[in-house]
Amino acid sequence: MKKILIIFTVLFLVCLPLSHVKAVTKTDPSATLLKAEETTHATFPAEESEAWYKIVAPTSNDSGHTHFKVTLKSKQILSLSIYPSKERALADDTFFNYRVGTGKNNTATVNFPDAWDGEYWLKVSYIPKDDPSTVVAPYSLQYEEVFISPDHPAEKGAKGAVETAVMNKEDAADTLKDVRSILDGLLASSDAGKEISKLYYKTSPFLVEEFLQNSSSRDAFYNNLKVLRPVIKAAAEKREYTISKEEAKAFHAVSALIKDAVPTSLAKDIAALENKIDSQNLAGSSLSSIFDSLNVSATFAKSGTSKFIVKMKPNTSPKNLIKKASEYSMKTTTLDDSPSVIMDDFYTIHQQISDNSIKSFSKLEADTRKLALDSLPEVEYVEKVTTYSKSSGSYDAYQWAINKNSVLKDAANVDIQYDDFWKSTASQKLAPVKVAVVDSGVDSRLKELQGRVDISNAKSFVEPNGDGSYLDDNGHGTHVAGIIGANSENNLGMKGIANNATILPIKVLDSDTNGDTDEIARGIQYAVDQKVDVINLSLVGEYSPTLEYVLKNAEAKGITVVAATGNDGENNLLYPANSKYTIAVGATNSFGIMASYSNYGRELDVVAPGSKIASTIPDGNIAYMGGTSMATPHVAALVGLLKGQNKALKPAEIRQILRTTTNPLEFSSTEQENNSKEGMSFYEYGESISPAPLSAFFNIQAGYGKINIWHALSKNIIKAQPATLFDNTNYATGKALANTEVKVFQGIKKIGEGKATATGQYKVWVPLQKSGAPLTLTFKNGTNETKARMTVARGAIPAAPKVTTFTDKDTLIKGQTVESARVVVKNSKNQIVASGNATPTGSFGLKIAKQPANSKLNIQITDLAKRTSKAMTITVKDVTPPKAPTVNTIKSTSTTITGTGEKGATVRVYFKTKLLGSAKVDTKGKYSVKIAKQKSGTSLSIKQFDAANNVSPVVNKKVVK
């Protein structure tokens, strides 16, 4: 592909005239069936000829092959093209790496992936190099079923003209990339452009042979190609460009070289092409005029600002805006013409120069016009439009991100525990979800993606009217889609993560993976209107208030948006990952550490595998790509699974699940940077938000850690609550599914374990922890396992202890306080009279000498965190009865009874139960109770009551004469 494609594109920059390209055969050709391992022999006559063949793929999916290795041999230069279906064969629609020619080795080989349904069609064609020619072309054709790993994509065996010319040159990759963008982007978007590409493919085999046999021709081609690099790059980027004299000269040199190398019939077509574009006057021509002369539709703009987005204030008319724009000869259009009213206040402003050209402004011009539009009272803001770019089964063994037994993993535990998730959730029925891949499109024709893509609602916003094809002309979006939703149960190619997901392709990036602010805003809003569950944004650019507006709307609608952080390896998340309304995703590698290219910062949420990720690409191969672009769909797929469990989950709840179920990361030499508090503020619509304090579980470089799909999906099943734990207690308590095993970890060290009761309560002993200490809990129940994170809370200052009644007879002081507290008892002289520890339940009983009745004791406790309570003061209760009072002789003439007793006590005199009188014992210990005279022989009872109402023994005394 790169070969032929590059050449013609580069040379003529899309200038081939349709009138000189033969049309595709209109009638259905017959095709000879090829059988594996059998060789077919045939001969072309000495004239332009073609022959059709077909391969019918085995119906079994467990044959072990991934590709058909097709080999064409001939001593003449023949071309071989292989197509995914008969329909695409008749349209001559295939990929560059499936168009090859026999050359110096008389052999052409294509490794064609078994990635589509139906019959695979092959075309062998012959254009004699001599005209007229008498040379016939015998050839042989065969295929075999082979397995090719992602390490060796089929295109590696295909060397085209431009690839051959730039081989081993520093700028080879960029040149080939730009040429492919022209062919797969500009040319593929119109019938006229497709016809031009076909002529390119016809010339390539002859040029390859010329370059391999004649190094001077190859060097001349490459040197002129270097001169044309600015032209090629501008065309790839759809940027207006004017051809210089030097570039025109290089163009003519390349054209002459090609005409000398190809058959006469093709040379005539090239000469006619030069006449068509008036190549003698090429210097000074613009790209837009060249494409216009070829009837290839394309819109070019100069570098700089070419469009503005205007947000009007609610309920205002755009009348003044339209008038002001027209004063600058600028056109005003609504940003989004969908039925949704959410973007009715948005407009785009640009200045059309011609059908194929939009005016671009210098910085001064752009600032002047922006200021003029912004000054209108009805305008809320004006934004310059900027460009966003991608964030730069048979293959199960190569999917290290989801297969713990992958041959590619470089360390243990680097995957996201997909295997454990699959085992634990095999019986779960997940609701279907829709994931919007807002990217470069998706090629839904691949077997791996058939039935997994919402074709009827797929949309492209790359074309101005939004009516272009959603099919991927770059490969980035298809790779993202495969990671999320490739069929995991068909025993083919690879496994997607979310088997319950349908992919909605929304194309906002062109063939060079660039897209403008307005296109991306329309794409995101379209996803919202389609009521998707998840939006994947593997793209980055500058902050945009318009994008922030639609992202905020997405969250308000319950849609989770996942975004890539960028691939600069800097402490700076790119937009929209640093938006409040997205989940920001960084990348890890197969060593289980952060990828060196992954952007990081305080807005980072989680990380996921992003390096050397195998997934689908449009040409049918399973290929490796790397970057935060590849990490992001791992998280989007996980969100899709979570929504499949519970459609009611809100974005904030999903973010919390992701953050609390991750695995900690091993770090590289930049570990010292991880706990840096620096980083950019994240954006919320209309303003920059000041940084909040970082969580103890957060790491600047890795966010909250690497996603764990098993733990995340188990969380909704086990329903475990984070424990409650204070720095003055040894017990972590909480709730989980009944009989769940609970373990508490301090880092990787287990510090406690227990089990939830039948009612779901758990209480796990752990060593005393400091306030703020981060702990992780794991919960396992059957095949499900999840985790929770907690920071130890600061306990309150303990309350004074509760003490049971203490008497002057007691030798044990009892009470209740906080667990395991230290208890100290002091007397009124501040002397310690008892001390000891409370039990884990907080009860205590301290030995103590008998204390005087009515004396004061102070009891104070110190908890496990060394916090001391207020003192509890108690009075020793008097429970000791006084001694029996002494009673003097009582005569029948006495009107008082006297004696001695306990000071302060009350002496009472009874006749039987009748109280005759009472009196207090004075300070000298004497008392005198007045009574009425009693008869001799009367028996009286005398007893004393102390201040605590304790009663002495009774003294019985008889009255005497």
Side-chain angles (χ1 to χ4, degrees):
M1 152 184 205
K2 297 176 179 177
K3 15 175 168 186
I4 308 176
L5 183 130
I6 283 186
I7 216 173
F8 222 90
T9 303
V10 163
L11 295 192
F12 303 106
L13 298 170
V14 166
C15 309
L16 294 177
L18 300 182
S19 59
H20 292 275
V21 179
K22 293 188 177 181
V24 176
T25 305
K26 297 298 181 184
T27 58
D28 285 5
S30 59
T32 301
L33 178 65
L34 296 177
K35 294 184 178 180
E37 311 293 341
E38 294 185 4
T39 302
T40 297
H41 297 276
T43 300
F44 282 129
E47 61 185 35
E48 187 169 340
S49 309
E50 66 180 33
W52 289 93
Y53 298 89
K54 64 182 177 182
I55 295 173
V56 178
T59 56
S60 173
N61 291 334
D62 57 4
S63 62
H65 79 280
T66 60
H67 290 72
F68 302 107
K69 183 179 180 180
V70 182
T71 303
L72 172 67
K73 294 184 178 181
S74 178
K75 292 183 179 181
Q76 305 303 319
I77 295 179
L78 302 187
S79 295
L80 170 65
S81 300
I82 307 181
Y83 304 87
S85 66
K86 177 181 178 180
E87 179 185 14
R88 293 173 70 174
L90 295 180
D92 197 24
D93 176 16
T94 192
F95 299 90
F96 74 97
N97 40 316
Y98 307 138
R99 300 180 189 267
V100 297
T102 59
K104 187 176 181 179
N105 296 325
N106 303 324
T107 302
T109 302
V110 175
N111 289 313
F112 189 82
D114 183 10
W116 295 270
D117 284 333
E119 301 173 336
Y120 300 125
W121 278 51
L122 300 79
K123 181 174 71 173
V124 181
S125 55
Y126 175 45
I127 301 177
K129 192 166 183 181
D130 299 323
D131 191 21
S133 176
T134 59
V135 181
V136 297
Y139 66 91
S140 65
L141 183 67
Q142 70 167 16
Y143 82 90
E144 57 182 312
E145 297 174 359
V146 296
F147 174 88
I148 297 180
S149 74
D151 287 301
H152 304 92
E155 64 186 71
K156 286 190 176 181
K159 298 297 181 186
V162 174
E163 284 180 313
T164 304
V166 302
M167 195 178 345
N168 301 323
K169 305 294 185 182
E170 289 185 1
D171 57 350
D174 288 340
T175 300
L176 296 174
K177 173 177 172 288
D178 288 338
V179 171
R180 182 179 176 186
S181 293
I182 295 170
L183 282 124
D184 291 351
L186 286 179
L187 296 182
S189 63
S190 65
D191 290 338
K194 291 176 183 177
E195 294 299 327
I196 292 171
S197 295
K198 293 174 187 177
L199 184 54
Y200 166 81
Y201 294 128
K202 289 183 178 181
T203 65
S204 188
F206 301 99
L207 290 169
V208 170
E209 183 182 44
E210 173 67 19
F211 293 159
L212 293 176
Q213 294 179 349
N214 190 336
S215 61
S216 61
S217 294
R218 184 177 67 245
D219 291 343
F221 184 90
Y222 172 70
N223 289 332
N224 284 293
L225 203 61
K226 284 202 301 183
V227 176
L228 290 170
R229 278 292 291 128
V231 187
I232 298 168
K233 189 169 185 61
E237 296 175 353
K238 296 183 182 179
R239 179 167 41 84
E240 187 63 284
Y241 191 88
T242 301
I243 310 296
S244 69
K245 290 181 180 180
E246 184 182 11
E247 290 161 345
K249 182 179 178 181
F251 177 90
H252 291 303
V254 170
S255 178
L257 191 155
I258 294 175
K259 287 186 289 186
D260 288 343
V262 302
T264 305
S265 60
L266 295 180
K268 288 181 179 179
D269 285 341
I270 295 171
L273 163 69
E274 293 178 310
N275 291 332
K276 177 76 174 179
I277 64 170
D278 191 15
S279 65
Q280 296 305 314
N281 297 308
L282 194 60
S285 298
S286 66
L287 280 181
S288 59
S289 65
I290 293 174
F291 274 81
D292 190 53
S293 69
L294 294 168
N295 297 319
V296 176
S297 59
T299 301
F300 294 89
K302 294 180 180 178
S303 59
T305 303
S306 58
K307 285 188 288 185
F308 302 91
I309 295 175
V310 179
K311 167 70 169 66
M312 302 292 291
K313 294 177 181 177
N315 303 316
T316 57
S317 169
K319 182 178 179 180
N320 288 335
L321 174 66
I322 296 172
K323 181 180 179 181
K324 177 62 72 174
S326 64
E327 292 175 4
Y328 288 101
S329 301
M330 298 177 74
K331 183 179 180 181
T332 305
T333 58
T334 57
L335 176 60
D336 183 32
D337 56 2
S338 68
S340 173
V341 300
I342 191 66
M343 298 190 74
D344 281 357
D345 296 327
F346 286 85
Y347 296 86
T348 55
I349 310 290
H350 67 275
Q351 187 169 339
Q352 198 85 21
I353 297 177
S354 66
D355 290 342
N356 285 343
S357 183
I358 294 177
K359 179 178 175 59
S360 289
F361 310 104
S362 66
K363 184 178 186 306
L364 179 60
E365 287 179 309
D367 289 345
T368 300
R369 299 194 180 200
K370 180 179 182 297
L371 183 62
L373 298 172
D374 217 357
S375 65
L376 297 174
E378 303 90 348
V379 170
E380 186 172 315
Y381 69 78
V382 178
E383 176 184 1
K384 297 177 183 178
V385 169
T386 57
T387 300
Y388 288 67
S389 303
K390 67 178 182 182
S391 177
S392 310
S394 297
Y395 290 110
D396 189 37
Y398 296 87
Q399 291 185 261
W400 68 266
I402 64 174
N403 181 2
K404 64 175 61 179
N405 298 315
S406 168
V407 298
L408 294 181
K409 68 185 180 111
D410 295 301
N413 303 317
V414 299
D415 62 294
I416 59 173
Q417 296 191 258
Y418 177 86
D419 293 335
D420 295 312
F421 146 71
W422 193 254
K423 292 174 186 176
S424 67
T425 60
S427 61
Q428 282 190 46
K429 183 173 178 57
L430 300 177
V433 297
K434 188 171 290 188
V435 181
V437 174
V438 181
D439 211 286
S440 63
V442 174
D443 199 321
S444 59
R445 299 170 295 186
L446 299 168
K447 269 196 288 194
E448 286 287 70
L449 294 175
Q450 285 182 3
R452 316 286 297 160
V453 179
D454 182 4
I455 298 173
S456 61
N457 292 306
K459 190 79 169 174
S460 172
F461 292 98
V462 172
E463 299 301 322
N465 57 6
D467 294 331
S469 171
Y470 71 88
L471 291 176
D472 188 2
D473 51 12
N474 174 273
H476 190 261
T478 302
H479 200 271
V480 167
I483 295 169
I484 297 171
N487 197 322
S488 63
E489 298 178 337
N490 62 359
N491 296 320
L492 291 171
M494 59 166 291
K495 291 180 179 179
I497 296 173
N499 210 30
N500 64 323
T502 298
I503 303 297
L504 175 63
I506 302 177
K507 186 172 182 176
V508 298
L509 303 180
D510 60 21
S511 61
D512 208 31
T513 61
N514 292 321
D516 289 345
T517 311
D518 53 332
E519 297 164 352
I520 297 170
R522 294 176 69 193
I524 295 172
Q525 184 55 45
Y526 179 75
V528 175
D529 292 340
Q530 290 295 311
K531 299 180 180 179
V532 302
D533 297 282
V534 191
I535 297 175
N536 188 97
L537 296 179
S538 290
L539 48 82
V540 295
E542 298 178 6
Y543 170 72
S544 162
T546 302
L547 290 186
E548 194 74 354
Y549 183 91
V550 294
L551 291 173
K552 181 179 182 181
N553 183 46
E555 184 183 73
K557 299 292 185 182
I559 299 171
T560 300
V561 183
V562 186
T565 62
N567 300 329
D568 303 317
E570 297 178 353
N571 183 357
N572 176 26
L573 267 64
L574 299 180
Y575 189 80
N578 58 1
S579 168
K580 176 183 178 181
Y581 305 110
T582 64
I583 291 174
V585 183
T588 63
N589 60 28
S590 56
F591 289 94
I593 62 176
M594 289 301 300
S596 59
Y597 55 78
S598 182
N599 283 18
Y600 56 95
R602 62 182 302 129
E603 307 90 355
L604 178 60
D605 287 295
V606 294
V607 295
S611 297
K612 205 173 185 181
I613 302 299
S615 187
T616 49
I617 57 175
D619 70 6
N621 284 294
I622 302 299
Y624 293 127
M625 289 188 186
T628 54
S629 280
M630 278 58 257
T632 303
H634 285 81
V635 179
L638 173 50
V639 175
L641 292 169
L642 288 169
K643 292 285 281 188
Q645 279 187 327
N646 182 2
K647 281 278 193 175
L649 284 175
K650 297 178 181 178
E653 294 171 320
I654 287 176
R655 179 181 281 106
Q656 184 65 12
I657 291 173
L658 295 179
R659 287 180 171 183
T660 57
T661 58
T662 53
N663 287 351
L665 260 308
E666 297 293 334
F667 293 101
S668 64
S669 59
T670 58
E671 185 170 4
Q672 64 271 18
E673 300 177 13
N674 292 341
N675 293 320
S676 166
K677 302 301 181 182
E678 297 177 357
M680 295 180 63
S681 303
F682 61 75
Y683 285 103
E684 185 176 3
Y685 178 63
E687 60 179 332
S688 176
I689 302 300
S690 298
L694 296 178
S695 163
F697 299 99
F698 180 83
N699 188 289
I700 285 288
Q701 195 176 44
Y704 289 86
K706 175 169 60 71
I707 61 168
N708 183 321
I709 190 171
W710 182 34
H711 286 174
L713 270 293
S714 295
K715 198 172 189 74
N716 283 329
I717 299 171
I718 295 179
K719 300 185 184 305
Q721 295 180 359
T724 298
L725 179 64
F726 296 98
D727 63 352
N728 57 358
T729 178
N730 286 120
Y731 289 93
T733 59
K735 292 183 179 180
L737 191 65
N739 301 313
T740 295
E741 298 172 7
V742 185
K743 296 179 181 179
V744 184
F745 292 85
Q746 185 181 59
I748 61 173
K749 180 182 178 182
K750 184 177 70 174
I751 59 173
E753 62 183 314
K755 194 172 185 179
T757 65
T759 61
Q761 308 288 330
Y762 66 83
K763 184 176 183 179
V764 180
W765 186 93
V766 296
L768 193 66
Q769 302 295 308
K770 291 183 178 181
S771 175
L775 299 178
T776 300
L777 292 86
T778 63
F779 303 87
K780 194 171 191 328
N781 195 307
T783 58
N784 294 292
E785 180 174 304
T786 190
K787 65 178 61 169
R789 287 169 166 172
M790 60 167 293
T791 51
V792 178
R794 179 180 174 83
I797 294 175
K802 295 180 179 179
V803 182
T804 57
T805 301
F806 183 73
T807 73
D808 57 356
K809 286 187 175 182
D810 290 334
T811 57
L812 193 68
I813 186 166
K814 299 178 182 180
Q816 187 73 31
T817 184
V818 297
E819 67 180 75
S820 305
R822 181 70 176 170
V823 185
V824 175
V825 183
K826 296 181 179 180
N827 61 20
S828 59
K829 297 179 180 180
N830 205 33
Q831 297 171 323
I832 296 177
V833 293
S835 65
N837 294 327
T839 67
T841 61
S843 62
F844 63 86
L846 308 180
K847 289 183 179 180
I848 186 172
K850 288 184 179 180
Q851 300 296 307
N854 300 315
S855 63
K856 304 292 185 182
L857 296 177
N858 294 317
I859 302 97
Q860 199 168 26
I861 64 100
T862 302
D863 66 14
L864 293 176
K866 308 301 182 185
R867 298 189 186 96
T868 303
S869 72
K870 291 182 178 180
M872 166 65 73
T873 301
I874 64 170
T875 301
V876 178
K877 186 175 182 180
D878 183 0
V879 295
T880 302
K883 295 178 181 179
T886 63
V887 183
N888 294 326
T889 301
I890 307 171
K891 295 182 179 182
S892 59
T893 58
S894 298
T895 56
T896 61
I897 296 177
T898 62
T900 61
E902 184 177 292
K903 296 175 183 178
T906 301
V907 178
R908 295 176 183 172
V909 180
Y910 295 89
F911 171 67
K912 295 183 180 181
T913 60
K914 182 179 179 182
L915 179 64
L916 301 179
S918 65
K920 276 192 174 186
V921 180
D922 62 21
T923 58
K924 294 180 180 181
K926 296 181 180 182
Y927 67 85
S928 177
V929 179
K930 291 182 180 182
I931 61 171
K933 291 179 182 180
Q934 301 295 315
K935 292 180 180 181
S936 176
T938 302
S939 181
L940 300 179
S941 299
I942 301 95
K943 50 187 175 180
Q944 62 177 335
F945 296 77
D946 63 16
N949 211 30
N950 296 309
V951 183
S952 71
V954 176
V955 176
N956 294 310
K957 197 83 169 177
K958 283 189 178 182
V959 179
V960 297
K961 287 187 180 180

